[in-house]
Amino acid sequence: MIKILHTADVHLGREFPLLREKGPEYRRQLLATFEQIIDLAIRENVALLLVAGDLFDSNAVHGAPIRTVLASFRRLEASGIRACILPGTHDVYSEDSIYRFLPLPPNVTVLTTQHSSQTYQDLDLTVYGKAFDGKLVGTSSLQGLSLSADSKYHIGLAHCSLRIEGVIEKETMLVDRNEIAGSGLDYLAMGHWHSFRDCSQGPTKAFYCGSPETIYMDQKGAGSVAIVMVHDRGKVDVQPVRVGSKSFDEMNINVEL
């Protein structure tokens, strides 16, 4: 069995101006929650940490978020855990991408426009992902996907929206249910939507893990990561694990006298 931790949409460095004086406190909470994700990966002895986009809120992040990320990935390295990151729409892989300048340790791979897959021979597994460079508006995240014949297991990373007829038909990056079903992937780790959601189609398990902390106050279902257990081809189990400190809900109050 191969155990994987899937996270996305951490948005480290986000300003939260609407929170006013509470903004810095919540920025620190995002860092603390990311460190909890690293703790969970080590505790669960996962083989691989996947980040499906928007680890950072922008390419202009500096200071504490950078120090925390580098120290966290070095902790993973010391525990023999690899990480694979797909840039998202906030930390887009542009000419000024933060990933072009970060001194990441060798256990961390960033998928880019030039490097769209990473094979882990000891796991007999390849990870695939199309990095958004700001030019691929409306492009399918799975377009042109070609699976390696050298690996038994195939994992996709996609920072995208799920195409829903009449509701979501135009987005920065899209994926169609039929594309998921016909992808040949064992698991598609999705990011961009901030709530945990099962989008599995056909033989491919596909999930949004959601943001580990609530980013927008009108979104329910945030606060989790996904533990993915690959038992064999076509045998994948996915379990949400709560890591968030905050949650959002709605309440209707009757104020009639």
Side-chain angles (χ1 to χ4, degrees):
M1 181 191 73
I2 302 171
K3 187 181 288 188
I4 297 167
L5 195 157
H6 163 205
T7 190
D9 300 291
V10 190
H11 288 278
L12 297 176
R14 188 171 179 84
E15 292 294 329
F16 298 106
L18 294 180
L19 295 182
R20 299 177 183 270
E21 68 276 3
K22 291 290 186 180
E25 178 184 331
Y26 204 49
R27 287 198 296 277
R28 290 191 294 271
Q29 182 59 56
L30 295 188
L31 292 174
T33 300
F34 180 69
E35 291 180 302
Q36 289 180 37
I37 294 171
I38 300 301
D39 290 341
L40 177 64
I42 295 171
R43 188 165 64 249
E44 290 288 330
N45 193 28
V46 304
L48 194 59
L49 169 68
L50 301 178
V51 183
D54 288 354
L55 174 60
F56 298 103
D57 192 61
S58 77
N59 281 324
V61 173
H62 55 86
I66 300 299
R67 293 192 296 271
T68 298
V69 165
L70 294 179
S72 295
F73 284 143
R74 286 193 291 267
R75 287 177 57 209
L76 289 183
E77 182 184 25
S79 297
I81 298 172
R82 276 76 57 92
C84 190
I85 303 171
L86 180 72
T89 50
H90 282 254
D91 52 5
V92 56
Y93 196 72
S94 54
E95 291 183 0
D96 62 346
S97 171
I98 193 170
Y99 297 111
R100 295 182 186 270
F101 306 104
L102 275 183
L104 294 167
N107 62 315
V108 181
T109 297
V110 178
L111 298 181
T112 70
T113 49
Q114 294 79 36
H115 181 70
S116 59
S117 66
Q118 177 67 28
T119 296
Y120 300 93
Q121 293 183 347
D122 59 315
L123 301 177
D124 205 3
L125 179 151
T126 297
V127 177
Y128 311 83
K130 182 179 289 186
F132 179 64
D133 62 1
K135 303 173 185 177
L136 300 173
V137 176
T139 303
S140 166
S141 297
L142 298 180
Q143 181 179 328
L145 176 64
S146 179
L147 302 184
S148 170
D150 296 328
S151 293
K152 178 179 180 179
Y153 301 112
H154 305 281
I155 307 295
L157 280 171
H159 193 80
C160 63
S161 288
L162 181 69
R163 187 190 301 274
I164 302 175
E165 295 295 330
V167 180
I168 300 174
E169 296 180 329
K170 293 183 180 180
E171 247 286 11
T172 305
M173 296 281 272
L174 286 166
V175 68
D176 187 89
R177 287 184 171 88
N178 292 331
E179 289 181 301
I180 296 174
S183 67
L185 295 169
D186 297 289
Y187 182 69
L188 179 61
M190 303 174 75
H192 192 46
W193 288 6
H194 290 187
S195 299
F196 191 90
R197 180 167 178 162
D198 184 353
C199 298
S200 302
Q201 298 292 320
T204 299
K205 289 291 182 74
F207 281 78
Y208 286 102
C209 59
S211 298
E213 285 285 358
T214 299
I215 302 298
Y216 302 109
M217 297 302 117
D218 60 348
Q219 291 182 320
K220 297 181 182 180
S224 297
V225 298
I227 294 290
V228 182
M229 290 162 285
V230 182
H231 300 282
D232 205 342
R233 292 300 317 269
K235 295 182 179 178
V236 178
D237 293 325
V238 182
Q239 181 68 42
V241 177
R242 177 82 187 174
V243 294
S245 65
K246 306 290 189 298
S247 60
F248 173 85
D249 207 344
E250 294 179 347
M251 179 183 297
N252 293 322
I253 301 176
N254 188 341
V255 295
E256 293 182 3
L257 296 178

